[in-house]
Amino acid sequence: MPSPEYNARDSHPSLEGKVILVTGGSSGLGEQCVLAFAQRRPAMIWLAARNLSNIQATITKTREDVPDAAIRPLQIDLNSFDSIKRAASVVLSDSDRLDLLILNAGAMGLPPGVSQEGYEVHFGANCLGHALLTKLLIPRLNETAERREVGDRKPDVRVILVGSDAVYRSPNNTIHFDRLKSDCKEMGTIGRYGQAKLATALFGRALARQSPLLKVAVVHPGVGATNLARSMVEAYPIIRPLVYLSSFLIQSPESGVRNHLWAALSPEIVSGEYYTPVGQIGHVTSEVRNDDLADKLWYWMEGEFPQHGF
Ligand SMILES: NC(=O)c1ccc[n+]([C@@H]2O[C@H](COP(=O)([O-])OP(=O)(O)OC[C@H]3O[C@@H](n4cnc5c(N)ncnc54)[C@H](OP(=O)(O)O)[C@@H]3O)[C@@H](O)[C@H]2O)c1
């Protein structure tokens, strides 16, 4: 079990030859992931987010530390199936392997709304969009896991999902399948985020069972000073001073990313588990380990994708 002083940057081997994709890599915890991975010299990091200038800014910042870092921008909006399809096809045509998929992008505090295909926006950005991206990339992940490398070893291929202990804020501690194709206005913004993060954790749980060649884990990073509260501050300016003051009391992004890095790099990871900071199996609600609910969500999403041509 890692100590509270755990420092992934000093604790794990090189990523030489590996291809990595980080969603939400242009800010906060994702940006720290990109930097930490770049220092380990992978063959390629795909940096995925919506805003291209923020992506470019992170690439520039990373190259101040690792001048020849191999990073490519990947524009994706997880609330648009068309955008996800385009992004996945770029990765599939340009990378013949994919070793590490970090499903980190997330949104909190958005006003009521629906995605391009009509799903609640937190659920779309945190869970459903990632589920579609994973579905499109899974052949490449599985092919990579089946490769034979030096010494006849098989590569260690992982999907790491970024959840949140806010799962317990999902109304009635469950997924409201009958409301997912609506703005879920009645749940309130924290309820919508909680539902989306419970769905993220359950998707990870189901993915681990469906994908025996891969190692899959869900991580809660702890509370960190990133841009995550931005939408909430825009919607409720009265909380701005509170968010500002709390930023001095909570983790920096450099510290907040340790659980991501532990799950991505540690040999100790157990597929299907939910890790709280850092590297410890745990959960704020037992629903994150509810296999029946995880399967129900999995097959619900599998029923939705064909309606949109997937
Ligand atoms: N910070 C915390 O205290 C905390 C606690 C628990 C869990 N988490 C989770 O940690 C993860 C990282 O969050 P963070 O704190 O680093 O937040 P952040 O600084 O706001 O970063 C969020 C990232 O996600 C991207 N993103 C947002 N919506 C997207 C969409 N629809 N499609 C594609 N990309 C999108 C953003 O880029 P664009 O806007 O350019 O797309 C950005 O790169 C999230 O999943 C969050 O829920 C954070």
Side-chain angles (χ1 to χ4, degrees):
M1 188 173 292
S3 79
E5 302 308 317
Y6 168 77
N7 180 348
R9 289 192 195 144
D10 299 334
S11 312
H12 296 295
S14 128
L15 291 168
E16 208 179 321
K18 295 194 180 256
V19 175
I20 300 170
L21 194 162
V22 183
T23 69
S26 59
S27 174
L29 307 176
E31 182 173 77
Q32 291 301 316
C33 268
V34 169
L35 176 61
F37 292 147
Q39 288 163 338
R40 307 204 157 277
R41 306 278 167 195
M44 172 65 65
I45 301 174
W46 291 100
L47 197 172
R50 288 170 300 182
N51 184 310
L52 263 183
S53 54
N54 290 346
I55 294 176
Q56 285 301 349
T58 295
I59 294 176
T60 303
K61 213 190 281 182
T62 306
R63 288 194 178 135
E64 283 165 13
D65 196 60
V66 186
D68 54 351
I71 311 177
R72 286 185 60 182
L74 185 68
Q75 198 166 26
I76 189 169
D77 180 354
L78 291 159
N79 268 321
S80 158
F81 284 5
D82 288 342
S83 170
I84 296 166
K85 184 179 173 183
R86 270 196 305 276
S89 67
V90 170
V91 175
L92 292 173
S93 67
D94 290 8
S95 286
D96 67 357
R97 63 183 296 153
L98 183 57
D99 300 84
L100 198 44
L101 177 59
I102 309 288
L103 302 176
N104 161 81
M108 179 181 83
L110 302 175
V114 294
S115 69
Q116 188 175 291
E117 288 75 23
Y119 301 94
E120 195 284 314
V121 277
H122 295 82
F123 174 65
N126 289 279
C127 178
L128 186 67
H130 280 141
L132 179 58
L133 180 65
T134 306
K135 183 180 176 66
L136 299 176
L137 296 179
I138 209 119
R140 191 55 38 89
L141 289 160
N142 281 333
E143 280 162 29
T144 307
E146 293 279 34
R147 282 177 176 230
R148 298 280 172 183
E149 301 203 313
V150 182
D152 210 28
R153 276 201 310 268
K154 285 189 174 178
D156 177 347
V157 180
R158 300 187 184 192
V159 180
I160 307 304
L161 300 94
V162 182
S164 168
D165 276 359
V167 287
Y168 81 94
R169 302 302 294 266
S170 186
N172 303 322
N173 215 9
T174 193
I175 305 293
H176 298 264
F177 292 94
D178 59 334
R179 303 293 299 135
L180 292 176
K181 274 166 137 167
S182 78
D183 65 13
C184 296
K185 193 173 181 177
E186 70 288 352
M187 291 182 190
T189 191
I190 295 297
R192 294 191 289 273
Y193 180 64
Q195 173 172 257
K197 286 305 194 190
L198 179 56
T200 305
L202 291 168
F203 165 56
R205 185 93 181 156
L207 180 66
R209 298 194 327 151
Q210 297 280 343
S211 310
L213 296 176
L214 312 179
K215 289 182 186 157
V216 181
V218 184
V219 296
H220 165 60
V223 180
T226 66
N227 288 317
L228 193 64
R230 191 179 41 200
S231 305
M232 204 130 89
V233 170
E234 279 163 13
Y236 309 99
I238 195 165
I239 66 169
R240 188 183 300 276
L242 189 66
V243 170
Y244 175 73
L245 284 175
S246 68
S247 69
F248 295 102
L249 303 173
I250 58 181
Q251 300 183 93
S252 64
E254 291 85 345
S255 176
V257 79
R258 293 178 309 152
N259 212 20
H260 290 54
L261 300 180
W262 182 86
L265 303 171
S266 168
E268 293 163 37
I269 184 181
V270 177
S271 197
E273 290 298 351
Y274 181 99
Y275 289 93
T276 64
V278 171
Q280 303 192 31
I281 294 174
H283 44 77
V284 65
T285 155
S286 58
E287 287 312 288
V288 300
R289 305 183 84 200
N290 181 334
D291 287 326
D292 291 340
L293 194 56
D295 285 347
K296 187 171 175 189
L297 176 67
W298 177 274
Y299 290 110
W300 186 88
M301 294 193 293
E302 284 296 305
E304 293 300 307
F305 295 139
Q307 298 174 34
H308 303 283
F310 296 97

